[in-house]
């Protein structure tokens, strides 16, 4: 489900029995995955030459929302130019 992510919404998100993702409506492709052990990891999902790719950006709160958005915007630009995306992002 896409929603505008905020630090408050991220802090309020609780772990579930299975991992799930919160998708940001502000930046296309930015997701925060939350595991049952409450590990919160930022990912960017994009397409390069028709192939879906997923790039790990880092863990929250080490990588804050604003930094994750900036990294996702940079990767969106790379994907738009059909440049190969890195296998991992900032951390």
């Amino acid at each position: 489900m896409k929603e505008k992510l905020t630090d408050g919404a991220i802090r309020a998100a609780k772990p579930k029995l299975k991992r799930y993702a919160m998708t940001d409506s502000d930046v296309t492709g930015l997701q925060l995955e939350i595991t049952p052990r409450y590990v919160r990891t930022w990912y960017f999902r994009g397409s390069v030459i028709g192939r879906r790719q997923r790039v790990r950006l880092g863990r929250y709160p080490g990588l804050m929302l604003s930094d994750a958005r900036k990294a996702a915007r940079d990767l969106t630009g790379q994907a738009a130019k059909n440049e190969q995306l890195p296998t991992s992002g900032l951390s």
Side-chain angles (χ1 to χ4, degrees):
M1 181 170 125
K2 282 189 176 186
E3 60 184 272
K4 182 165 176 145
L5 293 179
T6 63
D7 282 322
I10 293 167
R11 284 192 304 272
K14 300 297 179 205
K16 297 179 181 179
L17 291 176
K18 293 188 177 186
R19 68 180 58 216
Y20 69 100
M22 297 173 70
T23 303
D24 190 21
S25 65
D26 231 24
V27 179
T28 302
L30 181 62
Q31 293 182 330
L32 181 69
E33 183 179 273
I34 302 167
T35 68
R37 291 185 161 204
Y38 205 45
V39 175
R40 296 165 290 178
T41 307
W42 292 109
Y43 288 96
F44 171 76
R45 292 182 58 112
S47 293
V48 177
I49 311 173
R51 293 187 63 197
R52 298 282 295 161
Q53 293 185 331
R54 182 171 138 158
V55 179
R56 181 182 181 274
L57 301 176
R59 289 196 174 154
Y60 179 88
L63 181 64
M64 298 302 293
L65 174 59
S66 59
D67 298 326
R69 281 184 174 150
K70 182 184 180 317
R73 284 186 184 107
D74 292 344
L75 290 171
T76 299
Q78 285 183 353
K81 295 176 190 172
N82 285 324
E83 295 177 1
Q84 184 65 36
L85 298 180
T87 55
S88 64
L90 302 173
S91 61

